[in-house]
Amino acid sequence: MPVSVGLAYTGRPRTHLDPRSKLAFFIAVNTIGLGAAFSGSGAAARVAVTVLLAVLLAAEGAWLWSASAVVVTTVGLMVYAWLPPVGWAMPLVGLVNLMARFWPVVLMGCYVISTTTVSQFIAALRRLHLPASFTIPFAVVMRFLPTLAQESSGISEALRSRGLRLGAVKPHTWLEYRLVPLTMRAVAIGDELTTAALARGLDRTVERTSLARIGFGPADWLVLTAALTVIAIWALAPWTPIDPAAGK
Amino acid sequence: MEQSVESKTGTRALIETGVFTALYVVVLAVFGQLGALVPILQVLGPLYIPFVCGVPFMLFAARVKTFGQITIMGVLAAALVFLTGQSWVMLVLAAVLAPAADLIAKAGDYRRFTFTLVAYVVFSEMLIGMVVPLFFLRQSFISRIGKRHDSAWVDTLVNLTPPWMFWVMIVMIAVGAVGGAFLGRALTRKHFRPAGLA
């Protein structure tokens, strides 16, 4: 479960997609990537999702990641069609299958996180009429995760520099050394965050405004339509899969 | 004026919920990643992940002031796990199990350890959502592939991933969660209460 973002994004995203259409496409990638078959309508859905994902990644200049999506899906479909999972090929087929299922989802997750600012997320969630009891903790988590990951690696480094490795001290001691400082830091930073947020009027009940630029453009309608179409085609039209091994 | 004070404590509780959700997710991720390095930990994941996550949860439960905080934590944590590329099953489970855990903890006034322990076991069971698609996919895989491969091959595959392993994992999560609750209470007593955090 990657917390750090593999798609190293620094600066402004080059394309402007609304967080809501990103989320819709994320759900499409998740559903198709994890659930769809590698033949018939499932394969068609996989191709469609992969092409759109590759275009989105390429638009951000992430050429390598974009290419990796295409390669993984192509190899996945080819292996499924031509390599029956018997004998020596069995572990290979299993591995390729797993990669082809999970990699697009990981890529899409990185894409969503690295191209969306917290304020955009919040503005979008609020437009979806989610209550404050959900949006406030969500904002805190998004703001907090990088800080905590940083604290966690700092604690890990401090332990290493003192030679307190998992082998050198007993597991429960090591666990204590890892978890207690992290928790203490979390609570301390949380208190500061609360004060800062209250000072900026987070507890006011009036409707909040946001400088985050969100809204639907032509690209959004395209992505949204594509996401819904792909899911609909996959769910409603289960073609009979052409069995590659039937003739053998 | 009274309204403002009330919304201030409400906002405080919401921010704190976010803080502990982040902590829970980071602990889940950091210790979940150990499984990627050491293969045996992958198998033991359902046992030790709820064990370790018991620390943030128990401290959080000790600080909870209002009903709903545990619910929000569960749903939000599952939503984040979903965003990092896991299946939606955990999200659905969280929507049911987190409110249930919240109710149980509330029945003990968020004070009595037995209630909090049961609540944490219920809460932790949502982690099974992470492996549901793996088993589900394999089941459909086996039934689909059984039509064109000899039974010996199918048997090998079934033996490698027996369906009962799923139920074993549910039990492992429960056992790990009980241990985690005790670990969380021990650390709360030893460190967090003296430091004024609980």
Side-chain angles (χ1 to χ4, degrees), chain A residues 17-68:
Chain A
L17 273 186
D18 189 277
R20 284 165 288 180
S21 36
K22 284 183 207 168
L23 225 50
F25 187 55
F26 178 80
I27 291 170
V29 174
N30 198 306
T31 324
I32 303 298
L34 298 179
F38 282 84
S39 58
S41 64
R46 275 179 191 282
V47 171
V49 159
T50 306
V51 168
L52 189 50
L53 178 60
V55 168
L56 288 181
L57 289 168
E60 289 300 322
W63 297 105
L64 210 62
W65 300 110
S66 170
S68 79

Side-chain angles (χ1 to χ4, degrees), chain A residues 1-3 23 26-27 30 34-35 80 84-87 90 98 101-102 105 109 112 121 132-134 136-138 140-142 144-145 148-149 152 174-176 178-180 182-184 186-187 190-191 193-194 197-198 202-205 243-245, chain B residues 4 7-8 11-12 14-15 17-23 25-31 33-34 51-52 55-56 59 63 72 75-76 79-88 130 134 137 141 144-145 148-149 153 157 160 183 187 190-192 195 197:
Chain A
M1 213 170 67
V3 166
L23 225 50
F26 178 80
I27 291 170
N30 198 306
L34 298 179
Y80 182 86
V86 280
M90 204 181 103
L98 220 60
R101 280 182 196 279
F102 280 97
V105 187
V112 171
F121 248 127
S133 55
F134 187 81
I136 292 177
F138 183 79
V140 173
V141 171
M142 296 303 275
F144 220 62
L145 275 181
L148 267 188
S152 175
W174 179 78
L175 208 60
E176 196 179 334
R178 270 311 295 268
L179 282 180
V180 173
L182 188 66
T183 310
M184 297 262 190
V187 175
D191 283 343
L193 198 63
T194 309
L198 291 181
L202 195 66
D203 54 329
R204 296 283 105 183
T205 42
D243 197 329
Chain B
S4 158
S7 88
K8 201 161 266 178
T11 309
R12 253 177 221 286
L14 288 176
I15 294 176
T17 307
V19 168
F20 276 91
T21 306
L23 187 62
V25 170
V26 164
V27 172
L28 192 72
V30 166
F31 289 88
Q33 272 173 352
L34 286 178
F51 179 70
V52 179
V55 176
L59 179 59
R63 291 167 64 101
I72 296 171
V75 174
L76 203 53
L80 283 162
V81 170
F82 170 69
L83 271 181
T84 56
Q86 301 279 340
S87 105
W88 47 269
M130 287 198 207
L134 227 62
L137 288 177
F141 185 67
R144 187 161 47 83
I145 222 146
R148 56 181 161 107
H149 290 292
W153 185 87
L157 189 71
L160 278 173
L183 177 75
L187 288 184
K190 187 178 171 190
H191 293 289
F192 303 138
L197 297 187

